Amino acid sequence: MKDKQSADRQRLLEGLLARSRYQSALQPMHDQVLRVACENHQIAALLDRLAADSESSPKSASRFKRRRKDLALIEDVFEWVFFASDGFVERAKGG
């Protein structure tokens, strides 16, 4: 059960990351972003709720209309990772 649940979380998160405005910037950190997000208890629970929703699917953004707040939170996580990344910090320093 645990392995399937982890795989479901990762698949869902991958679909969301693919549509994120931060996707290209986070692509070099793809594996780390997925690992950290899936290991976070709050994000994992949110992903479980999304996965349990019979209408949720990473292949169709229109199916997520009922989960806008949850999806916005995931996007906030991606944004936080982007702004906390070494790449962004170096660019902000002018390097």
Side-chain angles (χ1 to χ4, degrees), residues 25-26 28-29 81-95:
L26 297 180
M29 300 178 287
V81 171
F82 169 72
F83 284 113
S85 70
D86 291 341
F88 177 80
V89 171
E90 287 302 314
R91 283 192 301 264
K93 288 180 179 177

Side-chain angles (χ1 to χ4, degrees), residues 17 31-33 37 41 48 55 58-60 62 65-67 72 81 88 90-91 95:
L17 181 57
D31 292 341
Q32 294 93 333
V33 171
H41 297 292
D48 291 345
E55 293 184 10
K59 296 177 183 172
S60 176
S62 65
K65 288 183 181 177
R66 294 185 304 140
R67 294 295 193 166
V81 171
F88 177 80
E90 287 302 314
R91 283 192 301 264

Side-chain angles (χ1 to χ4, degrees), residues 64-76:
F64 284 120
K65 288 183 181 177
R66 294 185 304 140
R67 294 295 193 166
R68 284 191 180 125
K69 285 183 181 181
D70 291 339
L71 296 170
L73 181 58
I74 296 289
E75 186 67 9
D76 288 347

Side-chain angles (χ1 to χ4, degrees), residues 47-64:
L47 291 169
D48 291 345
R49 286 193 304 273
L50 287 170
D53 186 338
S54 62
E55 293 184 10
S56 67
S57 167
K59 296 177 183 172
S60 176
S62 65
R63 292 184 180 181
F64 284 120

Side-chain angles (χ1 to χ4, degrees), residues 23-42:
Q23 187 274 335
S24 61
L26 297 180
Q27 191 57 41
M29 300 178 287
H30 176 268
D31 292 341
Q32 294 93 333
V33 171
L34 295 180
R35 180 184 53 78
V36 169
C38 288
E39 289 177 0
N40 177 286
H41 297 292
Q42 290 176 317

